[in-house]
Structure formats: C-alpha cells, structure tokens
Amino acid sequence: MPTNATQLFLDPVTLVPGATELELVQWNTQEVVTLTRVEADGIKTAAERFTIGGTLDANAPYYVRERGTEGPATALFTTAAAADTTAPAAPTVANLALTRTLYDPSDCGFTELSGVTGTITAPDAVVLGVRLTIAGGAVTTYYLPADSDPFAFLGGCDSLVDLPAEADVAVAIWAEDAAGNTSTEVTAQARVAEIDMRTSDDGGCSTGGGGAGIALGLLALRRRRRC
C-alpha cells in the first residue's frame, strides 16, 4: 500500500462486526486516519468503497476499527516506502462475453441473472473497473481479486447488472490502484447472449446447475502484486 493511497475496498461486516463507521489507525503511533464511505449512483462494488482522509506514514502497519473506539481491530496492511504516482498498465481482455441466463421460478430469489465473462490480464491492478453502456444508461462495477491465480472476480447480488437479451453493449475495462491511478481504458463491443436454464420440473434451486457461476459474472484476472 503506497503512502498516497486514496481508497480502500473493505467489507465492514467481516472486518469489524457490528461497526457502523470505520477508521484507520497507525499501529505504532495510534494516529487516526479518517475513512469515508463512498456511495455513488451508478457505481456498484463487490465491497464497500472508502476514501482515505490523509497521507499514510511510510513502512508503517495500519489496522481498522470502529470509529471512536479502542477496538476490536483488524490488521490491514503495512505501507510501502514511498508514494505511487505510476498508472497501472492497461489490461488486456480475452474471450469477453455477456450473458443473460433464465431460471425457473423458485425460492432462490431470482429468475434471471446477467453476467460478464472473460479473462483479464491487468498488471498492478488493485481493482478492476468495468463500465457497461446500453441504450438508456451505463453502470460501473468494481471487481475485487481473490487470493488465487488467476484472480477470480465474482459479483454479489449488489453488483449485478440487467442486460437485455440481444442488446449491443459498449464495454470499457480499466485497472485502478490504491492511490487512485488508473490505466487507459480498453474498449469493446459485445452482444448479450441468452441462456435458457429453465426446466419443466419443480424449478428448485438446483435447476441452475453449473450455469449459476456464469450468470453471476465471473472474470479471471492475472496481475502482479505491488506493495
């Protein structure tokens, strides 16, 4: 994490259960850095997005806790020695596809899911931004990498988009780092393919079978790690 980091993508429920507001604390000095939750129309993320309200110390450990308390706390990272002003390299995209999958009515909570699939190579990315533009508007989603190689991106219910079948979609993909540096955008056009997983059976949750992962939108990302 560079000393000029400007943003964090966190899951408060997992990090500090019960917390309504979070703050960042330098472990050695106990200096508090404000975290502000970002809520922007048209932007969906796989985790809560926070801005960092100050410059971080170099080579220092930081943890997160509920604002104004002494804990509990969760260690997050140790900063690098300096600021980062270098934009990540532009991602490369392979096998990009957009899908709309139909399911039988059931107690699973959905009858259709839209998704994005592909393999993304994005050196030095902390998050991957994807903007989908169709007639009537655009939606931006930030995908977070899992600790695996290739990195797997799986959007939750709050990061899904509604893609009409056979719609032509303009896709823009970019890499973004913790300091807010962004790569140039890679653009493409894709048509939404409809996948029918409906059956004539009882329509239970299992009817989606192995197609559920595709419908949720799985993006694989390969990248280099940067402190």
Side-chain angles (χ1 to χ4, degrees):
M1 185 70 67
T3 56
N4 65 330
T6 61
Q7 62 181 345
L8 288 173
F9 290 82
L10 305 173
D11 181 356
V13 175
T14 300
L15 289 172
V16 188
T20 57
E21 298 290 340
L22 298 179
E23 61 188 10
L24 199 60
V25 184
Q26 211 265 48
W27 197 288
N28 298 324
T29 65
Q30 292 298 292
E31 180 181 0
V32 174
V33 180
T34 301
L35 293 178
T36 302
R37 181 181 284 105
V38 177
E39 297 181 6
D41 292 339
I43 296 180
K44 303 181 180 183
T45 67
E48 298 276 3
R49 189 183 192 189
F50 293 83
T51 57
I52 300 174
T55 302
L56 305 179
D57 295 336
N59 301 312
Y62 281 83
Y63 66 89
V64 66
R65 70 185 182 193
E66 184 172 13
R67 184 175 297 176
T69 71
E70 297 300 319
T74 301
L76 280 186
F77 55 80
T78 296
T79 54
D84 178 10
T85 58
T86 303
T92 59
V93 183
N95 304 317
L96 180 68
L98 305 179
T99 59
R100 179 182 179 87
T101 306
L102 306 179
Y103 295 90
D104 288 317
S106 71
D107 57 3
C108 301
F110 56 82
T111 57
E112 56 190 42
L113 287 174
S114 301
V116 183
T117 64
T119 300
I120 313 299
T121 303
D124 301 325
V126 172
V127 294
L128 187 75
V130 179
R131 184 175 63 253
L132 305 174
T133 303
I134 58 177
V139 61
T140 297
T141 300
Y142 284 97
Y143 290 91
L144 303 181
D147 292 328
S148 60
D149 187 13
F151 291 90
F153 286 81
L154 188 62
C157 292
D158 61 347
S159 63
L160 296 174
V161 295
D162 185 19
L163 300 176
E166 302 303 318
D168 290 315
V169 182
V171 183
I173 301 173
W174 66 92
E176 193 165 325
D177 63 22
N181 303 311
T182 60
S183 73
T184 55
E185 294 184 358
V186 175
T187 59
Q189 291 286 136
R191 175 162 289 188
V192 180
E194 188 168 87
I195 301 173
D196 194 342
M197 298 291 289
R198 293 173 295 186
T199 72
S200 59
D201 298 324
D202 59 7
C205 285
S206 61
T207 59
I214 295 176
L216 284 172
L218 180 63
L219 284 167
L221 168 69
R222 295 184 182 274
R223 64 166 188 168
R224 292 194 306 270
R225 289 189 179 277
R226 175 161 56 179
C227 297

